[in-house]
Amino acid sequence: MEPHPPSAEFCELAARLRAGHAVGLAEAALVLAAEFQPRFDASVPLAALDRLARDAAPFVPAEGELVVRVARLVAFLSEEAGFRGNQEHYDDPRNSFLDVVLERRTGIPITLAIVYVEVAARLGLELQGVSFPGHFLLRTPEEPPLVIDAFHGSLLDPDDCEALLQRALGNTARLAPEQLAATGTRQVIVRMLGNLKHAWASRSEWLQALACTERILRIEPDEAGELRDRGLLWERLECFGPALEDLERYLERVPGAPEAAALRARVEALRSRAAAIH
C-alpha cells in the first residue's frame, strides 16, 4: 500500500523552495491543493482573487495612513466578503485547500491569511505571514508591525498577541519580537502540509496523512520529526519494513529524543513482525 506519489508540479515546487527561489503564496498553495483534488483548475481560484481585489478597491484607499488602509481591507474581507474562521469544523481537510476556502469563504488561519496577502498585493499593500505558535497571523513589513488575525478578521495589539501566545504555550509565555517575524513561502507550505497531516490522521486516514509527510520531506529532507512520523504511519498501514527503516533512521539522527526509549521498543517489535512476514 503506497500513497500517491508527488506530482511533477509538486516536485518542481519543492525543488524551487529548497533552492530559496521566490514563489508566490497563491501559486504554491494551489500546487498543494492540486495534489489532493482531482480535475483541478488553478485559473478559477486565481480569478476569484482578482475579483475580490476589484471589489475591495472602492473600500480600501489607494493612499493615506497604512493603519486605515489595512483596517479597511480587514473589514472588507471579514464583513463585506464574509471570510471567517471555520470554528465548527476546524479539522476539515478542505480548510487547507485555497480554492475551497475561496469558494466557501471559510477556513483556518493560514489559508485565510493567504487570501489576505494575495488580495492586499493586488491593491498595492504588502502583508507578510507570521508562523505564530498555534495560530498563523499576518503583519505589515515595518517595525513595529500592524498584526492581523485573518481567522477572526481583526487587528491585534501586543496584549492581544501575548494572550494568543499564552493560549498556545501557557500563562508564563511572554511575547518576543522574533515571534512576530515574517515567514516565507517554504515554511508556509510545510505548515499547511502539517495541518493536513494532522487533519487526516485525526480521521484515521493514514494513507492521506502519509502522502503529506512524503511531501514535507520533499521540501525539508532533513526534518527528522517527519521521518519519525512517516515511520509511525507506515506502521499504522502494516507496512513494517518501511516503518522499521524510517524509525531506525530517526533514532540514528536523534538518539537522545525524549521518545527514544519507546521508539527503540517499537523498533524491536517491528523487527520481529517484519521477519515473520519474510
Side-chain angles (χ1 to χ4, degrees):
M1 187 182 301
E2 296 277 352
H4 65 281
S7 66
E9 292 77 12
F10 188 90
C11 291
E12 180 186 353
L13 171 67
R16 290 168 65 197
L17 292 174
R18 287 196 310 272
H21 295 166
V23 182
L25 277 177
E27 177 191 352
L30 292 172
V31 170
L32 183 158
E35 289 294 280
F36 299 101
Q37 298 179 96
R39 299 180 298 279
F40 188 84
D41 182 358
S43 68
V44 175
L46 290 173
L49 289 168
D50 291 340
R51 283 195 303 273
L52 279 169
R54 288 195 299 270
D55 292 344
F59 292 83
V60 182
E63 299 177 343
E65 287 189 61
L66 182 61
V67 65
V68 173
R69 299 178 70 206
V70 169
R72 294 281 182 84
L73 175 65
V74 172
F76 171 79
L77 287 172
S78 62
E79 297 170 17
E80 298 293 330
F83 283 91
R84 60 179 182 81
N86 192 345
Q87 302 191 57
E88 298 84 3
H89 304 288
Y90 193 91
D91 289 331
D92 185 337
R94 293 175 296 174
N95 290 327
S96 292
F97 300 144
L98 181 59
D99 59 308
V100 179
V101 170
L102 284 162
E103 181 182 344
R104 300 196 304 170
R105 306 212 167 187
T106 188
I108 53 177
I110 197 165
T111 39
L112 291 169
I114 294 172
V115 173
Y116 275 60
V117 167
E118 291 290 332
V119 173
R122 286 161 170 77
L123 296 171
L125 279 169
E126 183 181 358
L127 297 179
Q128 302 167 324
V130 176
S131 197
F132 200 74
H135 193 97
F136 200 85
L137 298 173
L138 291 158
R139 59 166 287 162
T140 52
E142 80 285 345
E143 296 290 348
L146 299 172
V147 180
I148 303 161
D149 177 358
F151 190 78
H152 295 103
S154 60
L155 287 165
L156 305 182
D157 63 25
D159 288 341
D160 296 326
C161 293
E162 187 159 276
L164 199 57
L165 184 72
Q166 290 173 352
R167 276 170 41 195
L169 302 181
N171 292 335
T172 59
R174 293 292 176 265
L175 185 68
E178 58 268 22
Q179 288 160 335
L180 293 175
T183 192
T185 301
R186 179 174 178 168
Q187 291 74 26
V188 171
I189 297 303
V190 168
R191 185 158 171 166
M192 289 177 74
L193 283 164
N195 290 338
L196 264 176
K197 177 181 69 173
H198 291 299
W200 271 315
S202 72
R203 297 165 173 239
S204 300
E205 296 187 38
W206 309 120
L207 205 57
Q208 291 286 65
L210 181 62
C212 293
T213 301
E214 294 277 6
R215 284 157 178 78
I216 294 172
L217 285 166
R218 289 275 178 164
I219 301 171
E220 299 287 359
D222 296 326
E223 183 53 60
E226 293 301 324
L227 198 61
R228 174 201 60 214
D229 289 358
R230 189 173 68 178
L232 295 172
L233 288 164
W234 278 127
E235 183 184 17
R236 288 277 190 180
L237 291 164
E238 298 186 353
C239 297
F240 302 125
L244 180 60
E245 181 181 345
D246 278 347
L247 293 179
E248 285 180 328
R249 287 172 61 200
Y250 173 72
L251 289 169
E252 287 173 7
R253 290 192 194 180
V254 197
E259 72 274 31
L263 286 178
R264 288 191 183 95
R266 211 165 192 143
V267 161
E268 290 305 314
L270 282 168
R271 282 200 186 102
S272 300
R273 301 182 79 171
I277 291 173
H278 296 296

